[in-house]
Amino acid sequence: MKTSRFSPARAHLLRAAACAVAACLAAPASAQDHAVNAYPERPVRIVVPYGAGGAADLLARVLAERLAQDWGQPVIVENKPGGVGTIGISAVVKAAPDGYTLVSVPVSDLAVNPHLYRQRPFDIARDLAPVAQVGAVPNVLVVSNALGVADAKGLIVKAKAGRLSYSSPGIGSQAHLAAEIFAGRAGVSLLHVPYNSVSAALADVAGGQIDMMIAQLPAALPFIRGGRVKALGVVAEQRSPLVPEMPTLKETTGLSFGDAVSWSGLMAPAATPLALREKIARAVTRAMRSPQAQELLARQGTVGLGGTPDDLSKAIAEDSRRYGEVIKALDIRLD
C-alpha cells in the first residue's frame, strides 16, 4: 500500500496558503471593527417618511440635536413624505448599511401598515434592521360631555345599552384598531366613523356628534384642558408620567386593553452590522433619557425612550401580532 508524504516545500506552501486565507477572512472583520469604533466620522442623516410637525418628526428632531452634541457631527433630519411612508422608507432601504442613513418611523409603519398594504416595494422585517425606540406618545380615551358618563366602566354600561359611535383619523389607523380592541374586550359593539384628520375627529367628539375617541395625548390635551371633552383614562397597562393623575382604563374597569402607545423607532438598512446598531442605540438612549430631552418632550406630551435593537424588535413583534389580529378579524385591506 502506498503512503503519502508531504515534502517540506509543499508543507510550507500549505501553511502560507492557510495564513493567506485566514488573513482574507480577518480583513473584513477588522475593517468592520474600525468602522464601528470610528463611527460617526461624517454627518448622519435621519429620514422621516412624513411631513414636518408630526410625532415622528418631533422625536427625530429632538434626537438629532442631542446626538449632534454627543457625537460632534451634524445630524440632519430630512422629511420625505408620500405614499403613506413609502417614499421615505424606500430611500433608506436602498441606502448603504453604514449607519449614516437612518429612518425614524412610527409604530404604524412598523407593526400596522405591513398588514394593511401588502404590495409595498419593501418588506419591513426583511429590508430594515432595528436600532432603538426613540419615544412614545400615550393614547387616551375621551368622550363627549353630552354622553354624561363619569368613567370607563360607566361608558361600557352605556355602550351595552345602545350602540355608541367613535371617531378616528382613518380606517386602519392606530386609533381605529385600538378602539376595536377596546370594544372586543369590553364586549360591546361600536360604530366607527373615520375622518381625514385627528383634529376633525376630536372636534366632532367635542361637538357631541360623536360619542368617543381614542386619541394621542398631545392632540387631545387642549380639548381636555378646555373642558370640551372628558378624559376617561390612558389606554395602557401603566399610568403615563406625562399625566400621572389620569388612571388607566384597566384601573377603572378591571379589564386589560393592552398598551395603545404611539411610539417611534429608529431603523437602519438591513445589512447594517449589529455592533454598529448597538453603538447607535446606546447614543439614542443617552440622548432621549437625558433630563434636557425629557423636559422638552414632556411639554409636547411625549416621552423619550431608547433601549436596544432587541427591545425594538420585541416591541415591533408584539404590536404586529396585536394589531394584525384585529386587521384580520375586520378584513381590512388598503391596497
Side-chain angles (χ1 to χ4, degrees), residues 46 48 50-53 55-67 75-79 104 134 288 296:
I46 298 177
V48 176
Y50 295 96
D57 178 67
L58 165 68
L59 289 164
R61 291 182 185 281
V62 172
L63 174 63
E65 182 179 353
R66 303 299 305 173
L67 288 179
V75 180
I76 302 154
V77 175
E78 182 180 347
N79 296 94
S104 175
V134 180
M288 301 310 284
L296 175 61

Side-chain angles (χ1 to χ4, degrees), residues 11-38:
H12 175 74
L13 287 173
L14 288 173
R15 282 196 298 271
C19 289
V21 170
C24 288
L25 291 174
S30 177
Q32 187 180 104
D33 290 344
H34 172 76
V36 172
N37 293 333

Side-chain angles (χ1 to χ4, degrees), residues 47-113:
V47 173
V48 176
Y50 295 96
D57 178 67
L58 165 68
L59 289 164
R61 291 182 185 281
V62 172
L63 174 63
E65 182 179 353
R66 303 299 305 173
L67 288 179
Q69 294 174 13
D70 186 356
W71 287 338
Q73 290 285 355
V75 180
I76 302 154
V77 175
E78 182 180 347
N79 296 94
K80 278 185 166 294
V84 196
T86 299
I87 291 175
I89 294 173
S90 294
V92 177
V93 164
K94 297 171 186 174
D98 54 12
Y100 289 95
T101 302
L102 306 167
V103 61
S104 175
V105 284
V107 60
S108 57
D109 278 305
L110 298 173
V112 178
N113 288 348

Side-chain angles (χ1 to χ4, degrees), residues 117-148:
Y117 302 93
R118 299 169 199 178
Q119 297 180 22
R120 303 182 99 182
F122 52 78
D123 182 306
I124 289 288
R126 181 194 64 213
D127 297 327
L128 291 177
V131 177
Q133 284 186 297
V134 180
V137 177
N139 280 275
V140 297
L141 173 60
V142 298
V143 298
S144 166
N145 290 323
L147 205 56

